[in-house]
Amino acid sequence: MDNNEQKKLLRMMLLIRRFEEKLVDLSKDPQKLGGMMIVCTGQEAVAAGVGAALAPEDVIISNHRSHGHLLAKDAEPDLLMAEIFGRRTGYNKGKSGTLHIAAPEVNALCTTTVVGGGIPIAVGTAFAAQYQQKDFVTVCFFGNGASDEGSFHEALNMASLWNLPVIFVCENNIYSGAQRLEEHTKVKDIADRASAYAMRGEMVDGNDALAVYEVVQKAREDCLAGAGPVLIECKTYRWGGHGTNDEQLYQPKDEIARWKEQCPIKKLKASLMQAGTLAEQEYQDMEYEIRLIVERAVQFAEASPWPDPAEALEDVYA
Amino acid sequence: MQELTLGQAVNQALREEMSRDERVFIAGEGVGVSIHSDPRMATYGLLEEFGPRRVKDTPVSEAAIAGLAVGASVMGLLPVVEIMFNPFFTIAADQIVNHAAKLRYLSGGKSKFPLVVRIKTGAGIGAGCQHSHNLEAWVAHSPGLKVVMPGTPADAKGLLKSAIRDENPVIFIEDMILNFVPGPVPEGDYTIPIGVADIKKPGKDVTVVTWSKMLGAAFKAAGQLEQQGISVEIVDLRTLVPLDEATILESVRKTGRLVVLHEATRTGGFGGEIAALVAEKAFDMLKAPIKRVTAPDIPVPFSKPLENFYMPNEVSLMEAIKELF
Ligand SMILES: Cc1ncc(C[n+]2csc(CCOP(=O)(O)OP(=O)(O)O)c2C)c(N)n1
């Protein structure tokens, strides 16, 4: 990756971070922003690294922690924000809200909040690529908890059997709801589960955006060359609770502090500054620009009309 | 009398039944250590009290959770397992619909499966259709299951105790909004029989058959209509299977009018079953057509004005009732 691309990676992580910080802030007032709110703070390197490795025609299937995935796939911040606000101008006209945003415009075809529900769907989109002899891959995002669902195991088996062009990206953030990894599975590394399906399993530092980018890019090339699916486990950490209503009583404070030291943004910024390719002023300009983008998105959402109640009846059937 | 939410009433029933009978254990996602430390939640504090042998926090594995209940119950345990949100019931459905419901029959009556599956349901929480979907008609359509859907905290406590003591698989569906509404609950041990409806408010002119959260809308409508000279009888079904036909028919014979009210969507909904029952057995007593007030046939939308449009309320109920006169 050249310097410019690395800066783009940094910028994307910063956009995801500031976008979601704003959401968390707004959701403190349920009159302003109601409903469940689930963010990926601390895990931005996975979204950004994967996004940078993908082409526009590549498909992503996302889960409940989706804002970062969508932004990194070049979804419009304005339309995302409006959807999260439940407005008619949002990606899904307010039907979806924060949890299930689909942006087919950028091949973010499905966000499902049914844990593990997206993994078999990724088999289907990858099958379509193989069937139609098209050169695109599917990336499916899910958490460590999702790898306990039957859907994960059935999907990996079939994808491997049929050599499908799909990259399974597990964001192992150590938690599944209030459970720690060792409380929900005996397996230490989710990547090990690949061997049960004769599939390549990779482990990567999920707080290192460059490393994520590289391993996904390689997997993408392999997929397109017909080498079959790959399971990539990104080792990362959920800074906050499961959702904004979670007091995190079960998450050790020193553990959180240790991982905050591993902040993916801080990490890449330091390495770029050390290499002399990024100046503090340039970083400040980036911050400023991103703040404007986020502010504009909130203004767009707040100025957007609510859907008319009867619009609830639309879009059920084609 | 103590004031409890539905979640707290369920909590008390679980605590009392676990103390009473060593065979009762609970399992599910977050039943021990939940992301909420909210004392209004159904399994709050039970891990501390009964320990990890009897309070099993499970992985995200609905099929295995339901299968655990099937296998443990046939061996003589009394599992009470939890499915976090009603839509995820579909992942557990193979074990519940194809196994829990049928294995007694398949054994020629030799085996029994005394298990309870608690499921949280209901719209109104701003979480969209993958967390909010009332699927009681799906389970009611599966012979071999009993289906309970309480609308008050007191009923929830008494019915859950009956469910745990029942020798059959019981699907016990709890509306989440009711976890935030306190109501009076008797202290100590009592049971409410499964399969017995309750006339929550007597009336003369029209019968409203309803259950779960919609009980609140029924009361609001009845109060307003009373002032307009229409006397509403509210029948709270409490149990969908087995169905208390006698109470429904008796009420309709008295009032001559029927409106069925439920939050679930209309087509294939359980309201159709009530309507058919009354049309078959009390048709000649009807002074007006039977009406159903339900959600429209759409998934639960996220946006607030859309979600409000989805849920039936006292206004839609009053409109339907007035059309009968
Ligand atoms: C099928 C299903 N069961 C339960 C839930 C409730 N739930 C939502 S997120 C979650 C934990 C998921 O953990 P993980 O897959 O590790 O993802 P993370 O939240 O850590 O990103 C659970 C249990 C759900 N949404 N879907």
Side-chain angles (χ1 to χ4, degrees):
Chain A
M1 231 189 199
D2 69 22
N3 289 338
N4 259 338
E5 287 170 327
Q6 292 195 26
K7 279 185 210 169
K8 275 198 203 154
L9 210 49
L10 180 66
R11 186 183 172 283
M12 180 53 73
M13 289 195 285
L14 208 52
L15 173 63
I16 297 169
R17 176 73 56 89
R18 299 290 178 251
F19 186 92
E20 291 199 317
E21 278 173 351
K22 189 77 193 177
L23 286 178
V24 172
D25 206 35
L26 292 169
S27 71
K28 287 187 181 126
D29 178 1
Q31 298 301 5
K32 254 190 144 47
L33 190 56
M36 290 189 187
M37 185 59 64
I38 294 177
V39 297
C40 72
T41 309
Q43 303 178 211
E44 295 88 350
V46 179
V50 171
L54 297 185
E57 63 271 23
D58 292 331
V59 165
I60 64 164
I61 306 291
S62 180
N63 67 349
H64 53 278
R65 219 172 282 286
S66 71
H67 303 145
H69 308 153
L70 287 153
L71 287 168
K73 193 72 175 77
D74 283 333
E76 289 287 340
D78 288 8
L79 307 187
L80 274 185
M81 194 65 88
E83 185 58 40
I84 294 165
F85 272 72
R87 303 306 164 106
R88 177 193 280 154
T89 51
Y91 265 116
N92 314 117
K93 307 179 207 167
K95 302 267 169 37
S96 159
T98 156
L99 283 177
H100 335 75
I101 302 174
E105 296 90 332
V106 293
N107 283 316
L109 289 183
C110 162
T111 294
T112 171
T113 178
V114 180
V115 169
I119 313 176
I121 297 174
V123 171
T125 53
F127 175 76
Q130 190 186 62
Y131 191 90
Q132 298 169 328
Q133 298 185 323
K134 286 193 175 153
D135 283 335
F136 71 86
V137 302
T138 296
V139 165
C140 182
F141 294 96
F142 53 91
N144 41 295
S147 75
D148 295 333
E149 286 278 10
S151 56
F152 168 88
H153 298 273
E154 296 180 28
L156 262 68
N157 184 53
M158 193 182 282
S160 179
L161 185 67
W162 293 349
N163 232 36
L164 297 175
V166 50
I167 305 168
F168 299 103
V169 175
C170 178
E171 293 185 71
N172 180 353
N173 60 13
I174 309 191
Y175 287 89
S176 165
Q179 272 184 327
R180 283 181 67 85
L181 186 70
E182 58 270 25
E183 291 166 340
H184 75 78
T185 178
K186 274 249 185 177
V187 169
K188 284 207 172 57
D189 302 309
I190 305 296
D192 278 357
R193 294 190 153 162
S195 67
Y197 308 103
M199 184 190 297
R200 185 151 69 83
E202 296 273 0
M203 247 178 326
V204 64
D205 175 356
N207 281 27
D208 181 342
L210 275 171
V212 173
Y213 163 80
E214 271 158 26
V215 70
V216 174
Q217 202 207 27
K218 168 81 170 54
R220 183 175 187 275
E221 277 169 13
D222 290 351
C223 272
L224 292 179
V230 185
L231 169 64
I232 299 173
E233 176 186 8
C234 304
K235 303 269 194 197
T236 182
Y237 191 76
R238 195 189 76 198
W239 286 15
H242 174 70
T244 46
N245 57 354
D246 175 359
E247 297 156 71
Q248 278 182 290
L249 298 176
Y250 52 88
Q251 223 168 328
K253 291 223 162 38
D254 57 326
E255 180 184 85
I256 302 173
R258 243 182 302 120
W259 277 93
K260 282 191 175 173
E261 287 300 307
Q262 298 294 312
C263 172
I265 297 174
K266 216 155 77 175
K267 223 172 178 165
L268 185 56
K269 181 189 172 195
S271 112
L272 284 169
M273 297 211 11
Q274 210 164 22
T277 54
L278 178 77
E280 183 60 34
Q281 186 56 46
E282 203 180 348
Y283 181 76
Q284 293 306 329
D285 292 348
M286 210 186 261
E287 279 268 18
Y288 182 73
E289 182 214 348
I290 282 166
R291 210 172 63 221
L292 290 184
I293 292 174
V294 173
E295 284 306 326
R296 201 189 55 199
V298 172
Q299 280 168 18
F300 173 78
E302 285 182 334
S304 291
W306 290 99
D308 187 65
E311 287 171 38
L313 299 172
E314 297 168 5
D315 301 318
V316 181
Y317 297 102
Chain B
M1 213 185 282
Q2 54 179 348
E3 290 274 319
L4 301 178
T5 70
L6 186 135
Q8 289 170 316
V10 165
N11 184 271
Q12 209 168 75
L14 288 172
R15 176 173 285 113
E16 290 176 13
E17 289 305 292
M18 289 178 81
S19 306
R20 189 185 61 82
D21 192 330
E22 166 77 14
R23 296 172 299 166
V24 180
F25 75 96
I26 66 173
E29 295 157 19
V31 297
V33 180
S34 152
I35 59 171
H36 303 279
S37 56
D38 191 331
R40 289 173 299 190
M41 294 302 157
T43 56
Y44 178 79
L46 296 178
L47 175 62
E48 285 74 12
E49 194 167 334
F50 296 98
R53 177 172 158 261
R54 298 183 67 196
V55 178
K56 309 302 288 183
D57 259 332
T58 66
V60 195
S61 306
E62 289 76 12
I65 293 166
L68 171 79
V70 175
S73 63
V74 74
M75 297 308 290
L77 300 185
L78 301 177
V80 184
V81 300
E82 176 174 324
I83 300 295
M84 203 181 257
F85 291 99
N86 203 165
F88 315 150
F89 151 77
T90 60
I91 305 170
D94 170 54
Q95 287 300 321
I96 295 173
V97 172
N98 295 323
H99 295 92
K102 296 175 184 168
L103 289 179
R104 175 175 172 78
Y105 193 73
L106 286 173
S107 76
K110 289 180 187 159
S111 301
K112 58 184 185 195
F113 298 84
L115 62 96
V116 179
V117 182
R118 293 181 38 248
I119 304 179
K120 287 189 273 183
T121 198
I125 56 166
C129 62
Q130 287 186 338
H131 282 73
S132 306
H133 194 171
N134 290 327
L135 293 170
E136 66 264 27
W138 284 32
V139 269
H141 195 59
S142 301
L145 302 175
K146 294 188 178 180
V147 184
V148 178
M149 235 175 142
T152 69
D155 284 350
K157 181 175 169 187
L159 281 163
L160 183 55
K161 281 171 170 269
S162 294
I164 292 170
R165 297 176 198 184
D166 198 286
E167 307 235 295
N168 299 284
V170 181
I171 311 302
F172 191 91
I173 307 177
E174 303 159 19
D175 188 278
M176 283 176 284
I177 295 290
L178 296 180
N179 278 342
F180 302 101
V181 190
V185 178
E187 312 266 350
D189 190 37
Y190 68 94
T191 59
I192 291 172
I194 290 177
V196 178
D198 186 33
I199 301 198
K200 283 280 184 322
K201 181 196 160 301
K204 297 195 300 284
D205 303 322
V206 55
T207 298
V208 171
V209 171
T210 191
W211 54 92
S212 191
K213 170 163 89 228
M214 285 298 123
L215 198 54
F219 265 105
K220 280 186 197 155
Q224 294 193 33
L225 288 171
E226 209 77 24
Q227 292 163 13
Q228 300 171 31
I230 299 175
S231 162
V232 180
E233 175 146 306
I234 302 174
V235 177
D236 176 5
L237 229 41
R238 303 196 292 198
T239 302
L240 308 194
V241 182
L243 183 61
D244 184 352
E245 296 191 2
T247 299
I248 298 168
L249 293 171
E250 199 179 315
S251 175
V252 173
R253 287 195 183 108
K254 180 171 76 171
T255 63
R257 295 180 182 85
L258 172 65
V259 178
V260 191
L261 167 69
H262 62 64
E263 184 179 280
T265 52
R266 172 170 299 231
T267 303
F270 201 70
E273 187 59 36
I274 313 287
L277 167 76
V278 170
E280 272 180 357
K281 299 194 176 165
F283 187 75
D284 46 355
M285 302 301 290
L286 287 172
K287 299 176 194 151
I290 299 165
K291 289 243 171 222
R292 283 179 291 167
V293 177
T294 70
D297 286 333
I298 59 172
V300 179
F302 164 79
S303 184
K304 210 62 209 157
L306 303 186
E307 190 181 38
N308 290 341
F309 174 84
Y310 172 89
M311 286 188 290
N313 58 24
E314 63 274 17
V315 179
S316 41
L317 178 59
M318 281 194 298
E319 278 166 12
I321 291 175
K322 281 185 186 163
E323 284 170 22
L324 301 182
F325 292 90

